[in-house]
Amino acid sequence: MADSNPPPASERNVSSTPKPEIPIDAKAAKPLKPPNPMWKYLGFGENFRPKLPSRNWTIFLTITGTFTAAVIYDKREKKRAQRKWCKLVEHIAKEPLDSRSMPRKLTVFLEGPPTDGLRVAQDHFKEYVKPILVASGLDWEFVQGRKEGDVRAELAERIRNSRLPPEERTEEDIVVETRRKGGIKEFDGPGGDIVLGRHTWKEYVRGVHEGWLGPLTEPPKLIEEKPIEDTKEKEAMETLPGITLLSEPKEADATPPAEDNTPKTDVKPKKPPQPAPFISVSAYSTAISPPELPMELDPSTPISFPHILGFLNTPKRLYRFLNRRVLADSIGRETAAIILSTYRPYHTTSSSETPTSFSSEEADDVAQNGDNAIAASQTAEQQTALIEEEKEWHKKARVRVEGEPERTWLEPVVLDPRIASRMRRFELTPEDEARARTIVVPEEEIEGWIKGGIRSLGREGIKLLGFGKEKKSKPVEGGGEDVLE
């Protein structure tokens, strides 16, 4: 007899759906192994399982790690290059000095690069030049300029002051005057000029020519006299329709304003205006050589100062940032030559074009100003020094304005044979170059504080364990001195 109670609909649906077939060869999933208890004791938790980073994290860590490694490597090699040149000149700091004469002093010429401030030039000197000078123990002084023409005016004024007799010189520093009265002699020998950047080098060469070939006093300025008109123009003023009155303008001197006699406080004195050059470039050939002109001028060296601005130049700036070791080695070599005081005359090369990064029309105009201009077939080393830096100057520095004074940065370097032949440039001798190549800088002198701390910690640990051996001294027969084993 059939069952009178049919099964519920849900049971019918369950029984009617086919069950998935389980393959015979399927293996059961293995349970995860418990994590290493080491991570628990290290504070990472009980369920910590180390794994490889994801794709995005891998890309990020690769880029940041590569850049960080490049920066650290460049910084370490930069220290190594600077330390090498410091070791080459550090023996000068140990030489004895005469108590009745002044030591050698260098002059550093700094000026803010085009469209930038003086602080950039100061940082460049502090980072690349100062470490070598400090290792040598030499003294130096600054000639700084904040705008175009300051270095030229200051250097020319110093040279003109040195041409005067000692009793007529204007000494602004009371210390120098006191030393002269006390009988302390100045340094007998060449000093040295360090010039940073192409823009400062142009003003340096212009100031040397102006100081030695120009007059001792400022030439009189030509004042254009304007004709004075006696007739006074009358102004027409219409008061009513058909009625016009003529009135004369009131003079400003007729009723002078009342003077304010109240004293003003916190008013800074204005800086005197920059004096114009005492001699033009075209007058070099007609200038008379002064009797005080020495046979050799103080040696000088233009120091590279690469400086480029602009967002589009970011790749080039980044490349230079990661290769500062090359610049440090080049500047260190030039600075070591200055300290060791080995110099030579400036060379002259043959060339068919006048070296300038600006338009050729400007160079032609300057070359036709007089017979003193060097022929186009002969190019002096002073003209081509650091000329590649001009291509990176901002375009705002190249803009000319009508009626503006002389622009030393925009004009080519014009030389007079009498001055150019007396200029000298510092350069290392082959013996000094060979001695520098033999200098080995140990890793401990250039490593960072992390690596140095680990190294010192390891050494202290070895000493505590008793593995470190201390060197004992034993007397040497005859000498009476102790020498380490």
Side-chain angles (χ1 to χ4, degrees):
M1 181 176 176
D3 189 4
S4 60
N5 294 329
S10 60
E11 293 182 4
R12 289 200 305 265
N13 294 337
V14 171
S15 61
S16 61
T17 56
K19 296 181 179 180
E21 298 180 358
I22 300 176
I24 300 174
D25 57 346
K27 297 181 180 179
K30 293 182 179 180
L32 293 176
K33 293 182 179 180
N36 195 327
M38 174 188 65
W39 306 113
K40 175 183 177 182
Y41 298 122
L42 289 177
F44 291 97
E46 297 182 358
N47 298 323
F48 178 77
R49 298 176 184 274
K51 61 181 180 179
L52 294 176
S54 62
R55 180 182 66 90
N56 294 342
W57 271 106
T58 303
I59 295 173
F60 171 75
L61 294 176
T62 302
I63 294 176
T64 55
T66 303
F67 184 81
T68 304
V71 172
I72 294 175
Y73 174 78
D74 179 74
K75 186 176 181 180
R76 186 184 64 178
E77 294 303 317
K78 173 189 168 186
K79 286 184 178 180
R80 189 190 303 274
Q82 289 184 339
R83 187 60 188 153
K84 177 183 70 174
W85 298 113
C86 289
K87 285 179 172 293
L88 183 66
V89 301
E90 63 185 4
H91 67 277
I92 297 180
K94 303 175 183 178
E95 296 178 357
L97 298 176
D98 186 8
S99 60
R100 299 300 298 173
S101 62
M102 294 299 297
R104 182 187 175 199
K105 178 182 286 188
L106 304 177
T107 305
V108 182
F109 293 87
L110 296 177
E111 190 168 35
T115 66
D116 212 329
L118 178 62
R119 184 60 180 270
V120 181
Q122 293 174 342
D123 292 342
H124 185 75
F125 167 81
K126 183 178 180 181
E127 184 175 2
Y128 295 100
V129 183
K130 185 178 178 181
I132 319 297
L133 295 180
V134 171
S136 67
L138 292 182
D139 190 12
W140 69 87
E141 60 178 346
F142 287 107
V143 175
Q144 304 183 86
R146 297 186 177 275
K147 60 180 180 179
E148 183 178 0
D150 288 351
V151 172
R152 186 266 314 161
E154 178 66 21
L155 176 59
E157 182 62 28
R158 288 192 175 198
I159 296 176
R160 285 192 293 265
N161 191 31
S162 65
R163 291 168 56 185
L164 296 173
E167 61 274 3
E168 297 181 9
R169 296 177 184 176
T170 57
E171 296 291 351
E172 298 181 359
D173 191 358
I174 192 173
V175 177
V176 178
E177 187 176 356
T178 305
R179 288 172 180 169
R180 183 178 291 109
K181 293 180 180 179
I184 298 178
K185 301 178 181 180
E186 295 292 334
F187 177 74
D188 186 13
D193 298 334
I194 305 175
V195 187
L196 269 71
R198 170 74 175 180
H199 59 290
T200 314
W201 174 251
K202 279 189 166 184
E203 295 195 20
Y204 175 82
V205 176
R206 182 72 172 93
V208 170
H209 283 74
E210 179 187 346
W212 288 112
L213 299 180
L216 293 176
T217 58
E218 185 176 3
K221 298 180 181 179
L222 298 177
I223 302 177
E224 298 180 358
E225 296 182 358
K226 297 181 180 179
I228 301 176
E229 298 180 359
D230 296 336
T231 59
K232 300 178 181 179
E233 296 181 358
K234 297 183 178 181
E235 299 178 357
M237 180 177 59
E238 184 176 357
T239 56
L240 294 175
I243 301 176
T244 303
L245 298 178
L246 296 177
S247 61
E248 295 182 357
K250 205 172 203 179
E251 295 183 359
D253 298 337
T255 56
E259 296 182 358
D260 188 7
N261 297 326
T262 58
K264 297 181 180 180
T265 59
D266 300 338
V267 178
K268 296 182 180 180
K270 294 184 179 180
K271 188 177 181 180
Q274 184 185 112
F278 285 16
I279 184 174
S280 61
V281 176
S282 59
Y284 284 171
S285 59
T286 59
I288 302 174
S289 300
E292 305 88 5
L293 183 62
M295 295 302 298
E296 290 185 1
L297 300 178
D298 282 346
S300 59
T301 291
I303 300 295
S304 178
F305 184 18
H307 182 71
I308 187 171
L309 300 175
F311 177 76
L312 297 179
N313 295 319
T314 301
K316 182 180 292 187
R317 298 174 65 182
L318 187 61
Y319 174 80
R320 290 180 177 177
F321 177 75
L322 296 177
N323 288 273
R324 292 180 295 175
R325 59 187 181 275
V326 180
L327 183 62
D329 184 69
S330 175
I331 296 179
R333 176 181 287 100
E334 299 290 348
T335 309
I338 296 170
I339 296 170
L340 297 177
S341 189
T342 54
Y343 50 89
R344 58 163 176 82
Y346 279 90
H347 298 319
T348 302
T349 58
S350 300
S351 177
S352 59
E353 297 181 359
T354 304
T356 177
S357 62
F358 302 100
S359 61
S360 58
E361 296 179 358
E362 299 175 1
D364 296 340
D365 294 341
V366 177
Q368 295 175 0
N369 284 336
D371 298 335
N372 61 299
I374 298 178
S377 59
Q378 297 292 330
T379 302
E381 189 178 0
Q382 296 96 318
Q383 294 176 307
T384 58
L386 307 178
I387 194 173
E388 65 277 358
E389 294 183 5
E390 292 190 19
K391 301 177 183 179
E392 300 176 351
W393 290 356
H394 198 271
K395 59 183 179 180
K396 291 183 179 180
R398 305 170 185 262
V399 178
R400 292 180 178 269
V401 181
E402 295 182 0
E404 65 181 354
E406 177 184 338
R407 296 291 305 277
T408 309
W409 292 353
L410 304 185
E411 302 294 341
V413 179
V414 180
L415 302 174
D416 184 84
R418 294 167 292 179
I419 303 298
S421 61
R422 288 172 166 83
M423 297 180 68
R424 299 293 184 264
R425 175 165 184 166
F426 290 105
E427 187 178 41
L428 283 178
T429 60
E431 293 79 10
D432 293 332
E433 288 278 2
R435 191 158 57 94
R437 286 192 292 268
T438 60
I439 296 176
V440 178
V441 181
E443 190 71 19
E444 298 182 14
E445 297 185 10
I446 61 174
E447 63 189 8
W449 65 273
I450 297 178
K451 188 176 180 181
I454 296 175
R455 185 190 299 271
S456 61
L457 182 63
R459 287 178 177 176
E460 293 296 331
I462 291 175
K463 288 182 180 181
L464 291 176
L465 295 176
F467 294 102
K469 294 182 180 180
E470 296 181 357
K471 295 182 179 180
K472 299 180 180 179
S473 60
K474 64 178 182 179
V476 180
E477 297 180 359
E481 298 179 357
D482 293 344
V483 179
L484 295 178
E485 292 182 351

